Amino acid sequence: MKWRFITALMSVTLLVLLVQDIPLGFYLQQVEHERIITSLERDAFILAGRSEQALETATTSDDAELIQATKDYRDAGGSRVVIVNSAGTAVVISDDDQADLGTSYMNRPEIVEALSGSISTGHRFSSTLNQELLYVAVPILSGTEVLGAVRLTYPDYIVSNTVNEQLGLLSLVAVIALLLAAIVGYIVSGSITRRIRLLQSATEELAAGDLRSRADESSGTSELRSLAASFNDMATRLELLITQQRTFAADASHQLRTPLTALRLRLERAHDLVEINPAGAAERLVAAEAEADRLSNLIEGLLLLSRTEASDAPREIVDLAALARGRVEQWQALAAETNVVIGYEGPMTLNVVAVPNAVEQIVDNYIDNALAVSPADSVIVVQVQVAGSEAVLHVMDQGPGLSPEECIRAFDRFWRAQSDKNGSGLGLAIVAQLARASGGKAELVPRAAGGLDASATFDIARN
């Protein structure tokens, strides 16, 4: 990934440099060409002005001064100067070798054009010098009369060398930009890949069984921090599920061992007595059936608790008041058999948010536990109240109650009060899990007048 990122960044940088520098190179060449032409035109007119008097008077002193001026100009700028009279004959040449002095230049198109009164510029190949030249030819005027012409020539390779030097600087800048892109790409990709490797390491540690392995959420880009946070949420959830699974397996194996051992002993004893004491064998079989029922109830409770803990069912809107009234009606017949009265207090309707079937199971567990400890002629009150943004379900009995410490421990798995001989110790653990899954909590509080107040909170649904 690192090298792919660096290559991609350098490719984009190179593409940008090419798109920018190629047109810029042509532009520089054009600008340099126009700059030299403009400079040559200016200098040609200056020399033309100085040549005017010499061509008018034709004195030796003027020619000497003009020749020296053209040589100084040649030495300063590298241009060759030729000054012709109106007949096209060279009268001043900047060359050290004056062999061309007096030569006719009427075969040069630029000279002809300048003698006609026009300015001539351009470039052409000189067969004499065997090189490409830039030239400027301007007329020497005295009023409207053309006295002659001045031609300046400039080697074209000097323009190319100047442009090449500038292009060399651009190439150096381009190379530096590519190197900087590579360095930035290496640093950025290294930072990204380092965070990814750390996340990969945390993943491998988690896969190897280290449930405490977590990714670093405090550094890196926002996307990597978000990914690390998601990984940590997953790891936390996985750790919780595995811990619950291990706890479940440990609790199940511990709790199932006792009834299984008792069942086996009773069956073995019944087998020993079946011939010599049939009545005793039958009694042992009845006891074995009771142990089998207890084992069945325990297994059902464990399976229900396991499904409840593993469930990620979405919450839904339910009518807490209507469900509570319905469960009270269902339990009234059984309560009447033990002379216990069950009543409902609260609104007729109150919508809350809960997981499916949570309210019914919580109410049934609370009422079942209350009936198991309620004396005859006592009252069980199922009450629904509003407390701020929450709804609270109460199931209040008049039984022996529990101490504050026992109220806290009552939600532990397999914990049973001393007076509870038949329960599995899983009912309240299921209640607590259902309440948590619904976004609330379950609680037991001793009542001042005796008995317990078993409650569960739910978020009130927003319309």
Side-chain angles (χ1 to χ4, degrees):
M1 176 181 175
K2 177 187 294 185
W3 296 113
R4 287 198 299 269
F5 181 83
I6 295 175
T7 302
L9 185 59
M10 293 184 65
S11 299
V12 172
T13 304
L14 179 61
L15 179 61
V16 171
L17 291 173
L18 290 176
V19 171
Q20 171 184 284
D21 290 353
I22 291 177
L24 183 59
F26 286 112
Y27 175 75
L28 289 175
Q29 185 175 18
Q30 180 182 357
V31 168
E32 185 67 15
H33 181 273
E34 292 177 353
R35 185 189 67 80
I36 291 178
I37 290 293
T38 302
S39 176
L40 291 177
E41 286 182 359
R42 182 195 66 225
D43 295 342
F45 277 112
I46 293 174
L47 290 174
R50 299 185 64 175
S51 303
E52 179 182 352
Q53 184 177 2
L55 291 176
E56 285 179 340
T57 61
T59 61
T60 305
S61 61
D62 290 338
D63 288 348
E65 292 178 359
L66 186 59
I67 291 172
Q68 187 60 43
T70 58
K71 290 183 177 181
D72 291 343
Y73 179 76
R74 178 203 64 188
D75 295 338
S79 296
R80 183 171 185 263
V81 183
V82 175
I83 300 175
V84 299
N85 58 21
S86 59
T89 303
V91 295
V92 176
I93 298 176
S94 62
D95 299 341
D96 294 330
D97 182 5
Q98 297 289 310
D100 287 342
L101 193 65
T103 303
S104 175
Y105 276 77
M106 291 301 292
N107 62 340
R108 305 321 197 258
E110 63 273 14
I111 296 293
V112 175
E113 187 175 354
L115 291 175
S116 67
S118 301
I119 300 173
S120 178
T121 62
H123 60 85
R124 65 178 178 81
F125 183 79
S126 172
S127 57
T128 304
L129 301 176
N130 194 31
Q131 65 180 1
E132 194 76 19
L133 297 176
L134 286 175
Y135 64 83
V136 171
V138 299
I140 302 173
L141 300 173
S142 177
T144 58
E145 181 184 359
V146 178
L147 300 179
V150 176
R151 189 194 72 173
L152 305 181
T153 55
Y154 199 80
D156 188 64
Y157 72 85
I158 297 180
V159 178
S160 301
N161 290 342
T162 303
V163 173
N164 290 336
E165 289 177 1
Q166 295 175 341
L167 291 178
L169 291 176
L170 287 178
S171 300
L172 179 61
V173 172
V175 171
I176 294 175
L178 284 174
L179 291 176
L180 288 176
I183 293 172
V184 171
Y186 182 82
I187 294 174
V188 173
S189 62
S191 176
I192 295 175
T193 54
R194 182 169 60 253
R195 301 301 173 190
I196 293 177
R197 285 196 299 270
L198 290 175
L199 183 58
Q200 179 184 3
S201 177
T203 304
E204 292 173 351
E205 291 174 359
L206 184 65
D210 184 4
L211 300 179
R212 295 173 298 177
S213 177
R214 295 294 184 272
D216 182 13
E217 302 179 30
S218 61
S219 58
T221 63
S222 57
E223 293 81 5
L224 288 176
R225 290 197 302 269
S226 177
L227 179 60
S230 299
F231 172 83
N232 289 341
D233 290 342
M234 178 197 69
T236 301
R237 177 62 176 166
L238 185 61
E239 181 181 16
L240 176 61
L241 292 175
I242 293 178
T243 301
Q244 290 176 342
Q245 183 184 43
R246 290 173 177 173
T247 303
F248 174 81
D251 291 343
S253 62
H254 174 74
Q255 293 297 322
L256 292 176
R257 187 182 299 113
T258 300
L260 282 174
T261 301
L263 178 60
R264 185 183 63 184
L265 291 175
R266 283 175 170 76
L267 289 175
E268 290 177 352
R269 186 57 178 165
H271 180 269
D272 295 337
L273 296 175
V274 69
E275 295 182 358
I276 60 175
N277 186 2
E283 182 180 348
R284 299 298 189 280
L285 289 174
V286 171
E289 290 178 357
E291 289 295 338
D293 291 338
R294 179 188 172 196
L295 182 61
S296 177
N297 293 334
L298 188 59
I299 292 174
E300 289 179 1
L302 286 170
L303 291 175
L304 178 59
L305 182 61
S306 177
R307 287 194 298 268
T308 303
E309 290 178 339
S311 175
D312 56 353
R315 299 171 189 174
E316 60 183 15
I317 298 177
V318 298
D319 191 338
L320 175 62
L323 291 174
R325 290 200 318 274
R327 300 318 301 162
V328 167
E329 293 174 1
Q330 292 294 323
W331 283 92
Q332 280 179 346
L334 182 60
E337 295 180 2
T338 56
N339 295 324
V340 175
V341 177
I342 299 180
Y344 171 79
E345 295 179 0
M348 297 301 293
T349 181
L350 180 59
N351 289 335
V352 299
V353 179
V355 296
N357 303 317
V359 172
E360 297 94 323
Q361 293 186 58
I362 291 174
V363 174
D364 284 346
N365 270 288
Y366 278 164
I367 294 179
D368 187 23
N369 290 341
L371 282 176
V373 298
S374 294
D377 300 324
S378 63
V379 177
I380 297 175
V381 178
V382 178
Q383 185 182 75
V384 173
Q385 292 180 331
V386 176
S389 62
E390 293 182 333
V392 185
L393 168 70
H394 295 274
V395 177
M396 297 174 286
D397 63 57
Q398 297 176 334
L402 297 173
S403 67
E405 294 77 12
E406 290 175 328
C407 288
I408 296 174
R409 293 194 58 200
F411 291 104
D412 295 341
R413 296 177 183 179
F414 306 111
W415 185 89
R416 291 184 296 177
Q418 294 182 355
S419 59
D420 185 5
K421 304 299 183 182
N422 299 317
S424 64
L426 293 173
L428 291 179
I430 294 172
V431 167
Q433 178 58 33
L434 289 172
R436 283 194 296 269
S438 300
K441 64 178 180 179
E443 189 176 14
L444 296 180
V445 177
R447 299 180 67 190
L452 278 180
D453 178 2
S455 64
T457 60
F458 302 91
D459 291 331
I460 296 177
R462 297 180 180 179
N463 296 329

